[in-house]
Amino acid sequence: MSVISLPHRKNLDIDGSPAIPFFTQAATFAQLWPLVESGVHRVADNGKFSHGAQVAALERLLSDYTGAAHVVGVNSGTDALILLLRACGLGQGDGVVVPAFTFVATATSVVHAGGRPEFADIDPDTYQLCPESAERAITRDTRAVMPVHLFDRMAPMASFAALADSHGLTLVEDSAEAIGMWQDGRHAGLHGTGGVLSFFPSKTLGAIGDAGAVLTDDPDVAARVAALRHHGRPGPTMDDFPMIRTGSALAGINSKMDDIQAAILAAKLTVLEPDITRRAVLADAYTERLFGVPGIRRLPGPAGTGPGDRNVCYVYVIEVDDRDRLAAALTAAGIGTEVYYPVPLHLQPCFAGLGHRPGDFPHAEAACRHTIALPLYPDLDPARVDRVCAEITRFYTGAAS
Ligand SMILES: *Cc1c(COP(=O)(O)O)cnc(C)c1O
């Protein structure tokens, strides 16, 4: 793998430190700052600081990018999940099948929408929700199934569409990590009733604070989310929707997106495609160097797939022996790592009431014990991938690669 040149990212590793952080976007912002600044000035001049013109503009840009008929900007990916589930009509006690291996918000959002998470196991090769396990998790109360697109690929959506169809369930997607991912010609989040995006700073399209969005092709779901995010009122960014303009029809919350974050995201959207290409090149470099190293059990799959499909490496997660000692060795070498996710959801204290025990979802539990995420972000200098891989090789073989 030759070192790639990227004209859009000049100041790689801008802090000049020898350490390799798990995540930084300092160089990205150094490059984009003039564009960000003009957007922030527009917000200040306009005097409308949330739920204003920048948010509406970002919604249009994201609608063009994803092909979603409707994009509704909200305060976070978590709020997007809660409001999407509420807009789908989830009611008190309704079950939603979710994987046991994911970010906790996948399941807590079900709780906040009034429902009950029903956990299922993952496919041990892909870490995505397993359709067969999901089918076994269905009960009389189940109303919806919510696969998550985790790390570097999408869940098998044709299988979940068939499952939802045959059991009369609503299909929604936790696509918080999946901007830029397509399957069968559709962007993530658009394979059922709707999905979400998170713009948490470390996500593929990250703000410098919290923000999120709901994606849907369903005008009624979009109108309900648009009202729910703003105390049940239609807002100025949703003028196209035929909403009642006499008070709140729905008991909404305050989940308006900040216009400053929207302006920042619009600037970052201009480099999203080159960023995704760069992520793929860095991921391939890792895979090439780590393939066959003893102690490494599983590496991410390739980004390339069939026509109409594209995966994005949001985080580069490997499965290893002796995970915690490897993490400590990399920390000692100045290399940042993360464990997504150390505790499976069915064993987290907040879900103790559901009565699960260790062993219920063995693949999720094994993934929690054996996976570790390596640094991968557009600012990362490819030479640093070599250093990370050399440290890992040294850890498992005692020799540098
Ligand atoms: C990031 C993330 C969320 C939550 O998004 P926030 O914007 O942080 O609220 C939900 N689900 C998954 C799978 C995520 O990765």
Side-chain angles (χ1 to χ4, degrees):
M1 177 74 47
S2 60
V3 171
I4 37 158
S5 71
L6 277 152
H8 75 286
R9 207 54 46 81
K10 296 200 183 72
N11 303 310
L12 288 172
D13 301 307
I14 201 166
D15 61 358
S17 115
I20 303 178
F22 178 70
F23 175 75
T24 168
Q25 50 180 346
T28 296
F29 274 111
Q31 183 102 10
L32 283 177
W33 193 245
L35 200 52
V36 171
E37 202 180 6
S38 67
V40 172
H41 278 303
R42 270 200 305 282
V43 175
D45 294 347
N46 184 293
K48 183 101 173 59
F49 305 129
S50 79
H51 204 42
Q54 301 298 309
V55 174
L58 178 70
E59 289 172 342
R60 281 193 297 275
L61 290 169
L62 289 170
S63 173
D64 289 346
Y65 179 81
T66 60
H70 307 283
V71 176
V72 186
V74 296
N75 209 320
S76 69
T78 303
D79 277 5
L81 286 171
I82 296 168
L83 299 187
L84 172 63
L85 289 167
R86 283 188 61 186
C88 287
L90 197 74
Q92 215 59 40
D94 286 343
V96 180
V97 176
V98 294
F101 182 64
T102 173
F103 184 52
V104 68
T106 304
T108 51
S109 65
V110 173
V111 173
H112 290 298
R116 192 167 55 86
E118 297 179 311
F119 293 117
D121 211 348
I122 53 167
D123 175 331
D125 291 325
T126 66
Y127 308 132
Q128 311 303 313
L129 178 61
C130 166
E132 292 75 32
S133 182
E135 183 156 36
R136 284 194 295 275
I138 292 171
T139 65
R140 285 176 44 207
D141 297 332
T142 306
R143 277 285 312 280
V145 56
M146 183 156 71
V148 182
H149 309 305
L150 215 57
F151 302 154
D152 65 326
R153 70 180 78 199
M154 286 179 64
M157 292 313 295
S159 302
F160 286 110
L163 181 72
D165 235 32
S166 68
H167 292 270
L169 306 177
T170 301
L171 175 61
V172 285
E173 294 159 76
D174 181 346
S175 44
E177 301 182 0
I179 193 162
M181 297 204 212
W182 267 264
Q183 198 176 84
D184 296 330
R186 280 175 197 272
H187 192 275
L190 301 173
H191 293 252
T193 301
V196 303
L197 296 174
S198 165
F199 307 119
F200 182 75
S202 66
K203 295 275 160 62
T204 302
L205 181 68
I208 47 179
D210 282 303
V214 169
L215 307 179
T216 181
D217 288 330
D218 182 325
D220 297 325
V221 168
R224 281 196 288 276
V225 173
L228 286 168
R229 71 174 162 179
H230 186 31
H231 309 289
R233 285 177 290 187
T237 67
M238 298 300 289
D239 283 342
D240 299 344
F241 287 93
M243 292 294 299
I244 302 156
R245 293 187 182 279
T246 52
S248 297
L250 298 165
I253 61 173
N254 174 9
S255 185
K256 301 191 292 294
M257 185 191 282
D258 285 340
D259 278 62
I260 282 189
Q261 299 301 348
I264 287 162
L265 290 165
K268 287 195 73 187
L269 198 52
T270 64
V271 295
L272 179 61
E273 281 300 312
D275 276 3
I276 286 172
T277 302
R278 180 156 177 101
R279 285 175 177 276
V281 171
L282 293 166
D284 285 350
Y286 269 121
T287 299
E288 195 177 287
R289 286 156 181 70
L290 294 177
F291 187 80
V293 172
I296 297 183
R297 303 172 175 198
R298 189 161 288 115
L299 297 166
T305 39
D309 295 350
R310 184 178 70 178
N311 292 327
V312 174
C313 196
Y314 154 60
V315 281
Y316 191 87
V317 171
I318 63 174
E319 189 172 321
V320 296
D321 295 337
D322 222 355
R323 193 264 319 273
D324 294 338
R325 274 210 323 126
L326 174 66
L330 292 175
T331 302
I335 296 166
T337 62
E338 279 286 340
V339 172
Y340 298 84
Y341 303 94
V343 185
L345 298 195
H346 63 291
L347 301 180
Q348 298 209 7
C350 62
F351 297 118
L354 297 175
H356 286 290
R357 344 176 73 90
D360 281 358
F361 304 113
H363 299 310
E365 293 166 32
C368 289
R369 275 194 304 276
H370 293 292
T371 57
I372 184 168
L374 305 179
L376 188 148
Y377 40 90
D379 285 12
L380 186 68
D381 187 321
R384 294 186 155 200
V385 171
D386 293 340
R387 243 197 73 204
V388 176
C389 294
E391 285 298 336
I392 294 171
T393 304
R394 193 188 344 267
F395 177 81
Y396 286 113
T397 69
S401 61

